[in-house]
Amino acid sequence: MPAKDELARRRHEKLVERLGSLMRAALKPEYEGYYGQLILSADDLAEMGELKDVRRAAREVGGRLGWKTTTHLVGGRLFVLDEREVPERIERLAGNAAAAAMDRAWEEGRRPRLT
């Protein structure tokens, strides 16, 4: 029986390592660790193992990153989110970035298309 426990432990560590890499890569340095999120598709989840194990590993990684981690399963996708309160200056920075992205999309939509 201990061999099975060891295998489960190693599987969990690998999952934590993989999710940790994905969650860190999703962070924008300018937001100083806030606004963390990861969205895993149904295919990602199937590849990673049981949902309860993925959620547990994601919460563990989130804790290591200082997140207030929540997970939500919606339409077969797992959303891993940092729900900490965001400092005002970071919130302003993110709001400005979102507004600029929307302006760019609006302008792109207005340009005539060459066909």
Side-chain angles (χ1 to χ4, degrees), residues 51-94:
L51 178 62
K52 67 178 178 56
D53 297 332
V54 175
R55 282 182 143 152
R56 189 180 100 192
R59 286 191 301 270
E60 183 176 325
V61 172
R64 293 178 185 180
L65 293 172
W67 293 14
K68 179 181 176 186
T69 310
T70 61
T71 62
H72 304 278
L73 187 63
V74 179
R77 289 187 223 56
L78 182 68
F79 290 75
V80 181
L81 306 170
D82 174 11
E83 295 199 345
R84 291 178 292 169
E85 189 159 331
V86 179
E88 190 176 320
R89 66 184 174 74
I90 302 291
E91 191 172 339
R92 243 188 339 269
L93 181 65

Side-chain angles (χ1 to χ4, degrees), residues 28-61:
K28 294 184 177 183
E30 62 269 25
Y31 298 159
E32 299 175 16
Y34 290 94
Y35 287 117
Q37 69 174 7
L38 178 65
I39 303 168
L40 298 171
S41 69
D43 291 339
D44 293 331
L45 290 172
E47 183 183 309
M48 289 182 181
E50 291 195 39
L51 178 62
K52 67 178 178 56
D53 297 332
V54 175
R55 282 182 143 152
R56 189 180 100 192
R59 286 191 301 270
E60 183 176 325
V61 172

